[in-house]
Amino acid sequence: MKPLLTKVLLALAMVATLPSCAVAQKVEVVSSLVMPPSADYGRLNKLRTEGRMTKVYVDMLRTADGADKAHFPPEMAQLVDITPLGLTRLFTDTILKSRRFEVYDLRSTVTAEQADVMIDAQIIAANQEFKPLEGGVQAAHTSVLLSVQMKDIYTGKYLLGTAVQVEGRTGLVSGDRAVLMPGESPSDPAIRNKLMIDYQRALRRAFVLAGQRIEGILRPQGVVTVVDGNDMALMGGQQHGFQDGDELIVFRSKLITVGDSEKFGITKPIALVRCTGVGTETSQCAVVRKLADVQPSETDFAIITDASLRKTRWE
């Protein structure tokens, strides 16, 4: 109980020192609010009992035919380590940029069994074709198709339901193309290097899209600890994936028992809050919108909105 008591006292102190501009902020009263998906009591309870964010373990599987480099031209290896270990490192470094969860791979001391979620990714295909533009110019259209699975280590449940495929693409719009001028050949060494860079960009984009899907499922959640009018404190801070300026939906839900675990029943969104005082373990937030007939309380929970997730810098 002592760590929890310490956090509650800290949250009280944060509310007591809220800036006057936060207290005076105008609150919009609305008839409804949108509840973000993927509220998960199991992960939120780890925050309450262990004070940590979700641990994710990442592994790139070998290509379907067993050849590590089968999908890319040989020159690609000069730019990117396209072995499973190298691709795992690139994928891990990409999704680390979200700062919404802890990420581990073979370089870390944490094994898959010590993580909460296991992510397996596999490159299904990588293609590059040339399409004509005006004046004999050709544009490279490059794509990398990635298959991703997420599994809860404790329950064995696949969090995406099934394997999800994402495709990183280049060449669709002007300014995002590798272009071959009249007379240039894809076999020329300088042109080959440019085309390999295009493959690299498509690969990174596939990883970014996969990271965004993962972030949408493992979105940060918090627990309301103190309410003072339209200001509140949350258990949940930087080390749990929150960032300054994040907007959260405060929601209410009764717990139900499914098998040997507790889960959220019907979730009712009651307020939209903006957090401008995000500390290491707790955050202070102010209500921006709320329902007319209900007031947030210390029994409520909070989850980050899609709009805040879209602000995450991935590249």
Side-chain angles (χ1 to χ4, degrees):
M1 290 298 292
K2 287 185 179 181
L4 179 58
L5 179 59
T6 300
K7 291 177 181 179
V8 171
L9 291 175
L10 179 58
L12 283 167
M14 292 176 68
V15 169
T17 58
L18 282 172
S20 58
C21 59
V23 176
Q25 180 175 337
K26 185 176 179 180
V27 176
E28 180 184 1
V29 177
V30 296
S31 59
S32 65
L33 291 163
V34 177
M35 179 67 193
S38 306
D40 185 325
Y41 181 72
R43 288 193 298 108
L44 191 146
N45 197 41
K46 286 187 177 67
L47 182 153
R48 294 205 295 187
T49 58
E50 301 177 34
R52 63 173 177 84
M53 67 169 69
T54 302
K55 291 182 179 180
V56 172
Y57 192 89
V58 177
D59 188 24
M60 284 291 299
L61 303 180
R62 291 179 178 271
T63 52
D65 56 6
D68 299 337
K69 306 175 184 179
H71 294 307
F72 296 103
E75 298 93 335
M76 182 69 168
Q78 299 175 12
L79 293 177
V80 181
D81 182 355
I82 50 179
T83 65
L85 179 60
L87 291 173
T88 298
R89 181 180 300 115
L90 180 60
F91 189 26
T92 302
D93 291 345
T94 300
I95 62 178
L96 267 171
K97 294 179 181 179
S98 79
R99 296 184 291 139
R100 300 296 188 182
F101 33 79
E102 294 185 70
V103 186
Y104 301 92
D105 62 11
L106 293 175
R107 295 171 293 175
S108 69
T109 58
V110 175
T111 65
E113 291 76 15
Q114 295 171 298
D116 302 309
V117 175
M118 177 69 180
I119 299 174
D120 290 331
Q122 184 178 57
I123 295 174
I124 302 300
N127 298 296
Q128 191 171 73
E129 58 182 354
F130 301 94
K131 296 188 178 181
L133 300 176
E134 295 181 358
V137 177
Q138 297 184 81
H141 286 236
T142 307
S143 65
V144 174
L145 186 63
L146 187 70
S147 175
V148 183
Q149 289 184 336
M150 292 175 56
K151 184 170 73 171
D152 187 304
I153 296 296
Y154 300 102
T155 66
K157 177 182 177 181
Y158 284 93
L159 301 178
L160 293 172
T162 184
V164 168
Q165 293 187 354
V166 294
E167 187 176 29
R169 304 181 70 184
T170 68
L172 299 181
V173 296
S174 177
D176 187 40
R177 293 170 174 162
V179 176
L180 274 66
M181 303 305 292
E184 291 184 334
S185 170
S187 61
D188 294 341
I191 301 302
R192 292 299 294 168
N193 184 66
K194 181 165 63 174
L195 296 177
M196 293 309 102
I197 292 174
D198 213 43
Y199 266 118
Q200 183 183 32
R201 291 166 59 221
L203 174 62
R204 288 184 180 276
R205 288 180 181 179
F207 284 163
V208 165
L209 290 172
Q212 291 170 339
R213 293 293 296 268
I214 295 165
E215 183 187 54
I217 297 295
L218 303 179
R219 62 181 67 213
Q221 303 172 110
V223 179
V224 178
T225 54
V226 181
V227 176
D228 181 9
N230 290 320
D231 302 309
M232 66 180 63
L234 301 177
M235 182 187 299
Q238 293 173 358
Q239 72 175 32
H240 310 110
F242 290 116
Q243 300 168 18
D244 282 339
D246 278 344
E247 291 187 343
L248 316 173
I249 288 291
V250 175
F251 67 96
R252 192 163 293 168
S253 178
K254 290 184 178 180
L255 298 179
I256 60 174
T257 301
V258 179
D260 57 356
S261 62
E262 289 186 303
K263 300 183 181 297
F264 286 127
I266 297 175
T267 55
K268 180 181 179 181
I270 60 175
L272 173 71
V273 301
R274 183 176 296 122
C275 301
T276 54
V278 178
T280 303
E281 296 183 329
T282 60
S283 301
Q284 58 183 32
C285 312
V287 176
V288 176
R289 300 187 190 97
K290 69 176 181 179
L291 299 185
D293 58 344
V294 65
Q295 179 70 16
S297 74
E298 287 83 356
T299 60
D300 295 331
F301 309 96
I303 185 169
I304 196 169
T305 63
D306 287 337
S308 284
L309 289 186
R310 285 195 292 269
K311 294 178 182 178
T312 301
R313 295 189 63 180
W314 286 91
E315 295 186 273

